Amino acid sequence: MLIRRCAVLLLEPREETQFHLEQLLRGGDGLVRTLRCMALAPHLEAPIELDQEASAWLATLSPNVWIRLEPGSHQEELALPLVQAGLLVSKDDDDSDLARRDTRLRTVYWHPLAAVMHAFSRWDGVDAVRNMQESETETAEQMRQTLGEPPPEAKVMSLKGASTVLPEVDGNAFDALLSRRVTCRNFDPMRPVPLNMFAQMLQRTFGSRTRFKVGEDLVFLKKNVPSGGGLHPIEAYLVVQNVEGLDPGLYHYRGDTHELERLPSDVAIDRDFVMELVGQQHWFADAHVLVVLAPRFERTFWKYRQHAKSYRVVAMEAGHLSQTLYLAATDAGLGAFITAAINEKHAERALKLDTIAEGVLAVCGFGWRAGSMTTTELDPAGVIWHPAPA
Ligand SMILES: Cc1cc2nc3c(=O)[nH]c(=O)nc-3n(C[C@H](O)[C@H](O)[C@H](O)COP(=O)(O)O)c2cc1C
């Protein structure tokens, strides 16, 4: 059998702690600690536990050079379960699903640490609201109680005589717009967003102003947001819930042509779907439009190959898009939000993403604010909820 190691593999010694009453009664601290060796390979769905022999052997194998294992040898015996798990690739079986995912990973140029981080920070079936309740971190008072003293809200350098009080500058319309930007957690499901307003939101946030071509097939888009290398890898997939003239459902926005593409879906795009998408945060589920920010990592990694900064660059771009969406919504009189507490795998399945080359980083949304606040919004100055009479 000819084998080689999978392309990317991180071996993590992971300690797990469990409470054991017996251990406490025997005079210990009640905690039993177990050290396990976990294999983290980003083309696989989950970490795999290894014994010492397998982990030590894997660490000696090349991801590039094929080696021959003698039939009936101890090494072949060791290799078989590792091939089945996808940690080793067998040349005889390089058409299996896992082997194909491994090959795909080699062509997308992930930085290995970023690939592992991305693969194993995705959620599936997580209820973020219940998690906050169970960890007693739901309200600010609870957080203080549970988590103890927080780091200060601002850093003070305490450099005597070295600070300059800067002039207060009079605000203009842009400052007023910025101060009206408040994350919206209360949407009005009774009032649809007009199509023109929806179109303007997408055009301003995700649309392309110009395209230009270099040579045969290298095309750059000029957009309202910055992008590392000008490559604009992040796609906008929309869950349209309440827009005049549009059927509710899944769409893809083409920023280069300002077109909306209706996506076929095997699953019902209903409230359950949306609740699962936003980790059961019911306060976002009534948003008129939710936008799944889904990078095509391969577009950025094509230039920044196995680069230590490339994943960071793409993640920052999601922030730029979100801020632009917030400001465009605020300008239109709408509310907006972003959340990273999302079930990425649920979105990947619905959107049929190639999860080696594409992924989901966050979900944003926008729509009309409700007339009253049921879920708390951070508006201590009362700019949105108690505006001063004109
Ligand atoms: C990257 C990111 C992730 C966020 N995730 C959540 C979230 O999961 N749930 C939520 O209710 N708000 C989320 N927020 C919104 C913040 O809670 C909000 O920005 C913060 O409370 C400050 O309020 P403001 O946006 O109104 O100024 C997120 C914000 C950012 C920038």
Side-chain angles (χ1 to χ4, degrees):
M1 175 161 71
L2 271 179
I3 55 134
R4 68 178 181 188
R5 210 200 66 205
C6 63
V8 178
L9 174 65
L10 189 82
L11 297 174
E12 181 200 359
R14 187 180 291 179
E15 186 171 82
E16 279 175 11
T17 311
Q18 280 180 321
F19 177 73
H20 275 217
L21 185 62
E22 276 170 40
Q23 207 261 11
L24 186 72
L25 295 176
R26 274 191 266 117
D29 60 2
L31 301 176
V32 174
R33 296 178 174 84
T34 327
L35 204 57
R36 306 197 295 160
C37 180
M38 307 306 291
L40 305 175
H43 67 300
L44 305 181
E45 274 305 303
I48 291 172
E49 185 170 0
L50 296 175
D51 62 24
Q52 267 189 1
E53 188 182 18
S55 62
W57 186 50
L58 266 177
T60 66
L61 297 178
S62 164
N64 298 309
V65 181
W66 296 95
I67 60 161
R68 186 174 299 283
L69 304 180
E70 289 310 316
S73 64
H74 178 60
Q75 284 194 331
E76 192 192 58
E77 204 179 298
L78 211 56
L80 287 172
L82 298 174
V83 169
Q84 212 163 38
L87 295 171
L88 291 181
V89 184
S90 155
K91 204 154 197 188
D92 307 330
D93 196 18
D94 60 1
D95 201 31
S96 71
D97 265 5
L98 295 181
R100 270 193 274 119
R101 282 178 65 79
D102 177 65
T103 306
R104 182 87 180 104
L105 189 68
R106 291 166 192 265
T107 62
V108 178
Y109 305 115
W110 279 90
H111 185 276
L113 292 179
V116 171
M117 211 283 277
H118 177 73
F120 296 107
S121 58
R122 288 139 72 224
W123 283 359
D124 201 9
V126 172
D127 181 336
V129 179
R130 197 178 56 211
N131 285 352
M132 277 196 296
Q133 286 161 353
E134 286 177 0
S135 61
E136 299 185 353
T137 54
E138 221 181 349
T139 63
E141 289 74 19
Q142 266 190 341
M143 282 195 305
R144 177 62 185 87
Q145 177 85 26
T146 305
L147 304 174
E149 189 185 342
E153 71 285 7
K155 183 164 175 173
V156 181
M157 302 295 281
S158 305
L159 303 172
K160 288 213 172 62
S163 86
T164 308
V165 177
L166 295 172
E168 286 288 341
V169 180
D170 287 343
N172 62 14
F174 183 59
D175 296 276
L177 175 72
L178 291 173
S179 74
R180 289 200 310 278
R181 186 214 55 82
V182 171
T183 295
C184 181
R185 297 194 183 86
N186 300 275
F187 289 96
D188 179 357
M190 305 311 288
R191 188 180 173 197
V193 167
L195 187 64
N196 272 350
M197 204 176 245
F198 167 81
Q200 186 185 49
M201 283 292 301
L202 298 185
Q203 188 171 323
R204 286 182 159 178
T205 311
F206 303 104
S208 163
R209 294 210 306 264
T210 325
R211 83 199 290 273
F212 61 100
K213 210 167 162 186
V214 181
E216 271 302 292
D217 56 6
L218 179 55
V219 178
F220 291 95
L221 301 174
K222 176 69 186 170
K223 300 193 179 187
N224 292 342
V225 290
S227 172
L231 293 163
H232 293 287
I234 300 186
E235 298 295 319
Y237 291 96
L238 312 176
V239 182
V240 170
Q241 301 208 98
N242 201 354
V243 176
E244 251 167 34
L246 283 182
D247 289 337
L250 275 185
Y251 293 83
H252 171 247
Y253 174 68
R254 268 194 65 175
D256 59 336
T257 56
H258 191 49
E259 274 174 283
L260 205 56
E261 300 172 310
R262 182 81 199 254
L263 299 177
S265 166
D266 306 336
V267 288
I269 308 302
D270 52 13
R271 190 175 175 84
D272 285 353
F273 175 87
V274 174
M275 283 286 279
E276 181 67 14
L277 178 66
V278 295
Q280 307 299 328
Q281 298 176 90
H282 51 84
W283 48 88
F284 293 144
D286 285 331
H288 300 64
V289 179
L290 295 99
V291 188
V292 179
L293 299 182
R296 288 181 294 132
F297 292 110
E298 62 181 339
R299 169 98 176 148
T300 295
F301 300 173
W302 166 76
K303 175 174 180 190
Y304 301 110
R305 295 187 178 193
Q306 282 143 357
H307 197 295
K309 309 292 174 186
S310 51
Y311 185 75
R312 193 187 299 194
V313 163
V314 177
M316 284 193 271
E317 291 181 35
H320 287 288
L321 287 165
S322 160
Q323 176 73 352
T324 306
L325 180 124
Y326 264 88
L327 294 183
T330 307
D331 182 61
L334 301 171
F337 73 88
I338 179 170
T339 172
I342 54 170
N343 284 305
E344 292 90 346
K345 291 189 182 184
H346 171 70
E348 290 166 0
R349 284 191 295 270
L351 299 170
K352 300 186 171 60
L353 300 184
D354 164 4
T355 54
I356 298 283
E358 304 169 284
V360 174
L361 285 182
V363 172
C364 300
F366 59 89
W368 293 114
R369 258 202 173 80
S372 58
M373 180 161 62
T374 310
T375 304
T376 310
E377 296 186 10
L378 189 63
D379 183 26
V383 177
I384 297 295
W385 290 101
H386 306 287

